[in-house]
Amino acid sequence: MRLRLDYIDIAKGIGIILVVCSHTIYPELMYYTSAFFVPVFFFCSGFTSSKKEIGIKENFIRHALKLLKPYLCFSILLMLIFHDFSLRAIFGIFYSRYCLYPFGTEPDIVHFMIVGNYPMWFLTCMVVAYLLYEIILYSPRYQYHLVAVYLIAAILMQYLPILLPWSIDTAPLMAIIMYCGTQVRKYFPDIFSSKAPNTLVIISLVTYLLLIPFCQDINISVREYGTSIFTYLLAALTGSILVTWLSRLLQGTIIGKGLQHIGIHSLTIFCIEIPFILWGKQLPMILFRDLPQQSQLLATAITQIVVSIAGGYLISLLLHKNKHIRNIVFYE
């Protein structure tokens, strides 16, 4: 069963705005949210998922197609937009990792995703995470053993000299976050049914506030977890719970409805944000050049966010409007 909950779409809307913000000229705005703005998508996926009656192979293929069809289509579109058909660009699409080496380990980290497609590592990572997550669901007797194996694997793969394709080194941790989302729904079914925070939400708030100082320099796209993988995992989970609860508070409001629409179209925004990020940088740098540097950066970042979200949202609407194009780009 796949649940469709308004506040989950709102949480995804908040998440994609934060993702776009992290790619602007002023990513310092992400100081308090760097631990959860990507994991919240995995948490929400786990929260709304459960074991299906169909086999694990068929179930995985469905999830993979939903992610890989837009991945391929938007990759081709971005190659056209950036006029880059080099072997590196093509290889980057297949390898699906921002670079080959972790930051700080090589003078040349060897960039792969060079056609504005670097946010799309998320899609292939989720494909792998879905497979690992479903192995847990379809193995009820060994669920906790598998979680332990995934955690150990993620810890060990931190020391690999290269970043693995399709985020194979990061996906086990994301699968754990998905599984935790499922467990939260199982053991705390009413956690988001009321606007009043329950005990788990309060504990999550206190825990996350305590963990903020340990959650800097996080970038899971290049396998950076901040102080440690354990503090990151705990912060990712508690932060995801908090933003989902906040989304429940916003449900039914004007702001909530706007975020809900953005969340429904977050996949397209993920894929096409970078051209809009670049276009949104040009005009503000001219209009606000007389402002103090900090104000100029803030104004430019806000413009980039608005342009990227609005542009991606409109493109998604157009793609979904035409049945034939929708069937080519998306799997429904």
Side-chain angles (χ1 to χ4, degrees), residues 5 22 27 75 89 123-124 135 155 175 232 241 275 298 323:
L5 302 170
S22 71
S75 294
L123 276 71
T124 50
I135 290 174
I155 292 171
Y232 169 74
I241 290 172
L298 180 60
K323 180 179 179 180

Side-chain angles (χ1 to χ4, degrees), residues 167-269:
S167 301
I168 293 172
D169 43 0
T170 305
L173 203 60
M174 298 300 105
I176 293 174
I177 293 174
M178 292 176 71
Y179 178 67
C180 288
T182 302
Q183 294 301 92
V184 167
R185 190 189 76 239
K186 178 180 178 180
Y187 292 106
F188 302 91
D190 300 323
I191 182 173
F192 304 124
S193 62
S194 171
K195 292 186 176 182
N198 71 3
T199 303
L200 182 59
V201 172
I202 295 172
I203 292 174
S204 296
L205 174 60
V206 174
T207 303
Y208 188 78
L209 291 175
L210 292 174
L211 288 172
I212 286 176
F214 304 96
C215 295
Q216 305 314 307
D217 300 320
I218 289 175
N219 186 347
I220 59 173
S221 69
V222 289
R223 209 172 62 210
E224 292 183 345
Y225 302 116
T227 303
S228 77
I229 201 168
F230 296 102
T231 55
Y232 169 74
L233 181 58
L234 188 55
L237 292 173
T238 55
S240 296
I241 290 172
L242 289 174
V243 75
T244 307
W245 177 74
L246 173 62
S247 300
R248 176 65 182 86
L249 291 182
L250 293 172
Q251 183 174 301
T253 67
I254 295 176
I255 294 175
K257 291 178 180 178
L259 290 170
Q260 181 183 349
H261 285 291
I262 293 172
I264 291 172
H265 296 276
S266 58
L267 176 60
T268 302
I269 298 172

